[in-house]
Structures are given as C-alpha cells and as structure tokens.
RNA sequence: GACCCGUUCGUCUAACGGUUAGGACACCUGGUUUUCAUCCAGGCAAUAGGGGUUCGAUUCCCCUACGGGUCGCCA
C-alpha cells in the first residue's frame, strides 16, 4: 500500500523532499508511550490515529515502550497501557508480547543499538562529551526545515534558538549550551536521541503524534540528517482539552481509559468519539464501527485546532453503539456489570430483560439497575419517586384496584392481559390509563422511570407484582 | 519573555473566493407512544476584532486579541 497525500498544504516543490522518501514504502506507524501513568485518553487518540493510518494502508502498527526514565517507569503503568490498548482493540503487529524483526520493543533493552548509532555520530564528528561527562549533539549551523503534514512547513535555526533558555523562576532568558544532550553522564540515553534512533531503526514512515512535539521536531530532523536517515512524514495532531478549555491533566474526569471501562463504555464508541476529535470524515456521518473508521480514516481529514472533550456527546455515541450490538454481543459486553450486581447469566429472563433495557441505556453500567426489579426479590422504593404519587388522594384506590385486577386476571400473565387489566381498572376508577402507570411502575420497580412497563411486569412475574403492590399499600396506609 | 501552532453555533465539525454559512451533541417547543425511553417535526445558536487583496472573502495577506504548545541530563 502506498501513502495518500490528500491535502497538499505546500507548493509541490517543497513537498517533494518530504514524500519521495516514503512514496513507495509500506506504511509503518508507531505508538510510543512512556509507562509513567495510566493510558490517557489523549494518548489513546494518538495511538488510534497511528493504528488507523497503518490499518487503512495495510501497513504495520508498532508499539514501542519508551522506558528510558528508570526513575519514573512502573510495571503497573506498562500493564495498564497495554491492556488499555487491547481493550480499545488496537492490536499491534510488532511490540511487547508479539515481538517483531526490529525488536526489542522496550527502549530499556536497546542500549546496544543506541551505542551503535552514537558511534556513528561520533565518527562523523557530530557530537562530543561535555565537561560533565554528558554527550551532546552539535546543533547544526544551518537552519533546519521541516514539513509537517498538518501544520505546514517551518524553518528554524536551532543553534540560535537554543543559545538561550527560558528560566521560569527568573522569568527571563538565560544563556545555554545550544548543543542537545543525548546521553547522560551515567550512560543512559535521552528521549530525543532514542526516539529518533528507534524511528530510523524500526523504519517508521509516519510519525503521528501530539502537537506538543511539534517544537521538538526540528531537533529530531537534525538528528535524522546527522545519522544519514531520510525523514519520515511528520503529522502533528491537535491536542484535546477539558470541557472548559483547560489542559487535560492526569487527574481530570475522563482522562484515563480505565474510567471508560469501569463506567461501561464500549471500546468501539470510545474509538469513534476520540476519532471525531480532530478528525472529520467530511460528510454528515458520524457513527462508525472500528472497521468503518479504518476504511474512512485519512490524515488529510485531520484539522489543526485543539478540541474540547464533550462527555455528553460521548455518552450519546455510546448509546448508539449499544443499540447496534446484537443480543450475543450485548450479553458478552454486559457480563461483568451483571455479575457485579449478582444477576445470574443463565437466568431465563435475562435475554428479554436485556432487549428491554438496551433501548434506554447509554452505558453498560446502566443496565443492571434498569433490570434489577426483575431479578431481585426485594426492591427499594426511591423516595423521590414515591413523593410523586404518595400525595395523590386516590393512590390507595389505584394500587388496590390494580392489585385486585391483576390477581383476578384469567387470561394469563402477558402484555395484552396486563394492559387489559390496567384499562379495566382505569375505567372502574374513572381515571385515564396514564394515571395508573406511574403508581404501578413505582410500586413494582421502585423507580419513576425504566423500561417499557408491560413487558417489565411480565418478567417480574404475577405473584411478585401482587406482593409489591401489597407492600406499598401497607406502607402508605401505615404512614398516613 | 522568545519561538511555534491555532481561532466557524455552548461543544465536535462541514463549507479549500460566490451557500438563506450545512450536520451532530446539548438545550427548548410540539407530536407519536394511553407509561418510561426511543422516534418524528420544529426552534435557539457561529465565521474573535481591525485593516488590506478582490467585482466578491469563513476561505488569501497583515496587525491585534485570545487559546494552546515548546524553550530539561521528562517523555
């Protein structure tokens, strides 16, 4: 497969250097997380764009763990990131657990490779050891130009730019050594160097990453040049912000992918939503399965401005995905949430219950509470719901009427017979049917809202419906 | 502070010089469902400001404002 360059932002002459290198090369993208926390939703989006681009072009998606900072890396974090990616369905072709011909895929295990590239730099006279023992890459005298697929072209003189450094405490620029540290005195390597070396060594063709790396890119380009390697295509994607426009940090609500797992989101919906943050299919469609995303994704559809996270839209999208699941998939996805609430998976009533609740649930987490009245022997009456009906003058008559009618039903216990009994009771009491529905619902489910009432009553069962009506009647009588 | 990127309804976005500036979420109003939800119909709501260029700018250029990013021996 070949690379599609669908949105030229630059005159062709400027693009040429950029694209001839990879025009006929199979696409290889990578996601390179640092295991210092959970899988952040923004990182997940970066991973998604890399994954989608690779899959769209039939290329290779590489997972590389950038664990060069021994002080901050944790095993728990690495596991969380890997399992988060797995949950999202972003399978990697090369990387941890699956291997590949360009391994190892943990930077902590690649020192020999870095030594080799460093030797190359040394041989070319492009780096030196400073007085502290750290190795520095000589910043080029000439300006460096990069062409970003999304952000366009920019030229910068690194030597001049790096000759001073902003001191946040002093609030002013202070003189600095413009040459980039690439290896610490203790022999460990710095991000910029290993990142570039690995991208070269792993033959990465497209570097798709957050815009926070845009300003680093000229340095990387200089390293590519010094190492005699062609530049990959750079595509810096805009960042996600909180709903209020502030920077999304680790502790913000919805920042971690585990939040979505725990709250009963579907991975397909999360992928769909985050894909839409900064990428557009350019038409009015917006509900996509992962397969459809792969088919439609193109880097040319990525826009350049940051976006804010809209949790409500994400919820809506999740509901849409939920309704598109077939019965087996729904049961499978809901299983952990059902087990958590002790709802037996082999209960005869479960399939029908799931079909009932799926029309209204937006998350898997909302499923058990909605169908609990079917499976639990005891229900709790929501006080707020009860308050809506307890003040009605005729409430006891209504409940008693329903009870009498339901207990006398001769036509069996099904939706039609239940409806007929409610209608009959309403006529007897000279009320509209609607006036009986809410009391009936609250008495039998404890809640003011929920799935379609008739089928719900069928599943709860005649005897328990009668018992619950009696219980509420007793309760109301004793409190009045 | 310097440098870089950005700025269309509240939010996500479409419109790559000519549109009554389109769609979606959210919100509001009706309707259907004799319940809840779905669903259907309708409504509210945007080109940051100022200069150019042009017969004509959301679209191209400049300035300002605002937002974000980078300026580490973190990644």
């Amino acid at each position: 497969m070949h690379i599609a360059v669908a949105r030229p932002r630059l005159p062709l002459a400027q693009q040429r250097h950029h694209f001839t290198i990879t025009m006929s090369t199979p696409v290889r993208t990578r996601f390179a997380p640092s295991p210092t926390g959970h899988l952040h939703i923004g990182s997940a989006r970066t991973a998604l764009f890399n994954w989608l681009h690779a899959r769209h072009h039939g290329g290779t998606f590489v997972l590389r763990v950038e664990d060069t900072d021994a002080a901050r890396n944790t095993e728990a974090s690495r596991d969380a990131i890997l399992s988060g990616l797995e949950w999202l369905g972003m399978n990697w072709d090369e990387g941890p657990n699956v291997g590949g011909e360009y391994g190892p895929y943990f930077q902590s295990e690649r020192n020999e490779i870095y030594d080799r590239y460093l030797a190359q730099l040394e041989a070319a006279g492009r780096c030196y050891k400073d007085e502290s023992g750290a190795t520095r890459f000589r910043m080029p005298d000439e300006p460096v130009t990069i062409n970003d697929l999304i952000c366009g072209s920019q030229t910068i003189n690194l030597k001049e730019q790096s000759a001073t450094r902003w001191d946040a405490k002093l609030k002013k620029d202070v003189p600095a050594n413009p040459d980039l540290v690439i290896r610490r005195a203790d022999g460990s390597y710095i991000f910029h160097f290993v990142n570039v070396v690995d991208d070269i060594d792993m033959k990465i063709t497209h570097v798709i990453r957050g815009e926070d790396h845009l300003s680093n890119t000229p340095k990387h380009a200089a390293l590519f040049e010094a190492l005699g390697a062609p530049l990959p295509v750079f595509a810096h994607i805009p960042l996600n912000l909180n709903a209020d426009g502030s920077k999304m940090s680790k502790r913000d609500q919805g920042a971690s992918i585990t939040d979505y797992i725990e709250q009963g989101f579907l991975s397909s919906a999360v992928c769909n939503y985050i894909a839409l943050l900064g990428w557009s299919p350019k038409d009015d469609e917006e509900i996509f399965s992962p397969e459809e995303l792969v088919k439609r994704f193109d880097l040319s559809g990525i826009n350049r401005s940051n976006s804010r996270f809209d949790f409500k839209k994400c919820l809506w999208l999740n509901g849409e995905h939920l309704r598109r699941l077939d019965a087996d998939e729904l049961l499978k996805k809901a299983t952990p949430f059902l087990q958590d609430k002790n709802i037996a998976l082999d209960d005869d009533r479960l399939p029908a219950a799931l079909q009932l609740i799926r029309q209204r649930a937006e998350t898997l987490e909302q499923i058990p509470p909605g169908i609990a009245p079917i499976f639990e022997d005891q229900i709790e009456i929501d006080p707020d719901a009860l308050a809506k009906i307890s003040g009605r003058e005729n409430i006891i008559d209504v409940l008693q009427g329903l009870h009498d009618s339901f207990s006398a039903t001769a036509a069996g216990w099904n939706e039609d017979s239940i409806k007929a009994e409610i209608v009959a009771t309403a006529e007897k009491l000279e009320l509209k049917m609607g006036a009986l529905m809410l009391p009936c619902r609250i008495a039998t489910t404890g809640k003011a809202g929920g799935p379609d009432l008739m089928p719900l009553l069928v599943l709860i069962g005649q005897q328990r419906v009668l018992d619950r009506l009696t219980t509420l009647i007793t309760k109301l009588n004793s409190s009045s």
Side-chain angles (χ1 to χ4, degrees):
Chain A
M1 294 303 284
H2 306 293
I3 292 145
V5 179
R7 179 168 57 171
R9 289 186 175 282
L10 304 161
L12 274 176
Q14 285 181 50
Q15 286 185 30
R16 194 166 299 129
H17 162 68
H18 212 66
F19 298 121
T20 43
I21 293 158
T22 49
M23 244 350 189
S24 56
T25 311
V27 167
R28 290 176 59 85
T29 64
R30 46 71 163 179
F31 176 55
S34 170
T36 57
H38 52 224
L39 180 58
H40 190 273
I41 189 79
S43 306
R45 192 184 63 138
T46 301
L48 177 65
F49 286 177
N50 277 285
W51 182 81
L52 287 173
H53 188 251
R55 290 288 169 267
H56 180 82
H57 289 97
T60 303
F61 177 58
V62 179
L63 178 60
R64 176 174 83 222
V65 180
E66 304 214 329
D67 55 352
T68 54
D69 186 353
R72 291 171 53 205
N73 298 322
T74 68
E75 204 169 305
S77 167
R78 187 195 67 200
D79 293 346
I81 289 168
L82 298 194
S83 64
L85 287 174
E86 277 166 7
W87 180 78
L88 285 161
M90 292 179 216
N91 56 317
W92 51 95
D93 306 302
E94 296 175 21
N97 303 331
V98 301
E101 62 176 306
Y102 301 98
Y105 292 89
F106 289 95
Q107 288 186 332
S108 57
E109 298 169 8
R110 294 175 61 81
N111 272 322
E112 285 173 31
I113 294 163
Y114 304 138
D115 290 345
R116 210 165 65 226
Y117 278 83
L118 185 69
Q120 188 185 333
L121 228 42
E122 281 167 344
R126 301 296 295 265
C127 64
Y128 63 92
K129 267 194 182 177
D130 70 12
E131 60 281 1
S132 73
T135 304
R136 287 181 183 262
F137 170 64
R138 290 184 206 281
M139 285 300 202
D141 295 317
E142 297 299 310
V144 175
T145 297
I146 60 158
N147 290 327
D148 189 274
L149 200 56
I150 296 162
C151 303
S153 154
Q154 51 183 285
T155 300
I156 180 177
N157 188 320
L158 289 165
K159 194 140 195 168
E160 285 174 12
Q161 188 74 25
S162 307
T164 59
R165 199 189 79 235
W166 174 248
D167 188 311
K169 277 184 184 148
L170 298 176
K171 294 209 176 212
K172 64 172 194 174
D173 278 332
V174 296
N177 184 339
D179 296 331
L180 184 70
V181 173
I182 55 177
R183 194 170 79 144
R184 302 180 184 92
D186 69 4
S188 62
Y189 288 93
I190 299 294
F191 161 74
H192 299 291
F193 181 70
V194 295
N195 186 268
V196 167
V197 167
D198 285 345
D199 284 344
I200 294 170
D201 201 65
M202 295 179 179
K203 300 192 164 45
I204 301 303
T205 59
H206 293 71
V207 173
I208 303 166
R209 76 224 307 195
E211 201 189 50
D212 49 341
H213 285 294
L214 184 58
S215 298
N216 290 148
T217 304
K219 294 174 194 167
H220 297 181
L223 281 165
F224 273 97
E225 184 277 324
L227 289 165
L231 286 179
V233 175
F234 289 108
H236 286 91
I237 62 178
L239 271 19
N240 287 156
L241 308 174
N242 284 318
D244 65 0
S246 63
K247 188 181 173 183
M248 196 178 248
S249 74
K250 292 185 168 119
R251 277 180 296 278
D252 285 315
Q253 168 66 299
S256 170
I257 216 70
T258 53
D259 293 346
Y260 298 85
I261 301 173
E262 287 168 5
Q263 288 175 40
F265 280 82
L266 260 20
S267 62
S268 64
V270 174
C271 286
N272 191 166
Y273 182 69
I274 60 181
L276 255 20
L277 251 26
W279 172 77
S280 169
K282 303 288 185 187
D283 61 22
D284 289 343
E285 280 186 68
E286 54 183 358
I287 299 170
F288 300 111
S289 67
E291 295 72 28
E292 289 165 332
L293 283 176
V294 166
K295 194 181 292 178
R296 302 202 49 163
F297 183 78
D298 192 289
L299 289 175
S300 66
I302 294 180
N303 65 33
R304 303 203 248 177
S305 50
N306 293 345
S307 54
R308 302 179 182 205
F309 202 87
D310 184 350
F311 196 71
K312 281 190 175 174
K313 183 151 186 176
C314 190
L315 266 178
W316 167 77
L317 208 43
N318 200 59
E320 293 296 317
H321 279 250
L322 216 48
R323 273 169 227 125
R324 283 165 169 73
L325 250 33
D326 68 37
D328 288 344
E329 288 172 323
L330 181 61
L331 176 60
K332 197 173 149 199
K333 302 285 186 189
T335 292
F337 295 87
L338 296 169
Q339 288 174 326
D340 191 48
K341 298 295 179 191
N342 297 315
I343 294 174
L345 298 177
D346 57 356
D347 193 300
D348 292 344
R349 299 163 298 182
L350 188 54
L354 287 176
Q355 287 310 311
L356 262 186
I357 189 66
R358 76 181 312 169
Q359 299 304 322
R360 53 182 304 104
E362 281 190 314
T363 65
L364 297 167
E365 192 182 34
Q366 291 169 5
I367 289 177
I371 59 177
I374 298 169
F375 302 99
E376 291 173 358
D377 288 329
Q378 297 291 321
I379 58 161
E380 280 190 31
I381 309 268
D382 171 30
D384 292 337
L386 186 58
K388 290 180 181 181
I389 55 164
S390 58
R392 293 186 188 180
E393 279 180 33
N394 56 4
I395 184 64
I396 300 292
D397 294 339
V398 167
L399 295 172
Q400 191 62 52
L402 286 168
H403 181 276
D404 294 348
S405 191
F406 285 162
S407 60
T409 184
W413 187 247
N414 56 56
E415 286 183 44
D416 291 339
S417 65
I418 291 169
K419 184 174 174 182
E421 296 301 340
I422 294 177
V423 169
T425 308
E427 280 174 7
K428 200 184 297 175
L429 296 171
E430 296 183 333
L431 291 168
K432 286 189 171 179
M433 182 182 175
L436 309 198
M437 296 299 272
L438 187 63
C440 183
R441 178 183 289 283
I442 292 171
T444 54
T445 70
K447 302 186 184 76
D452 200 14
L453 190 56
M454 315 298 177
L456 191 59
L457 293 178
V458 173
L459 289 170
I460 291 171
Q462 184 174 17
Q463 190 53 52
R464 286 200 298 177
V465 166
L466 294 173
D467 292 346
R468 288 174 189 181
L469 283 166
T470 303
T471 302
L472 185 57
I473 290 166
T474 309
K475 178 174 178 172
L476 287 173
N477 274 331
S478 65
S479 65
S480 61

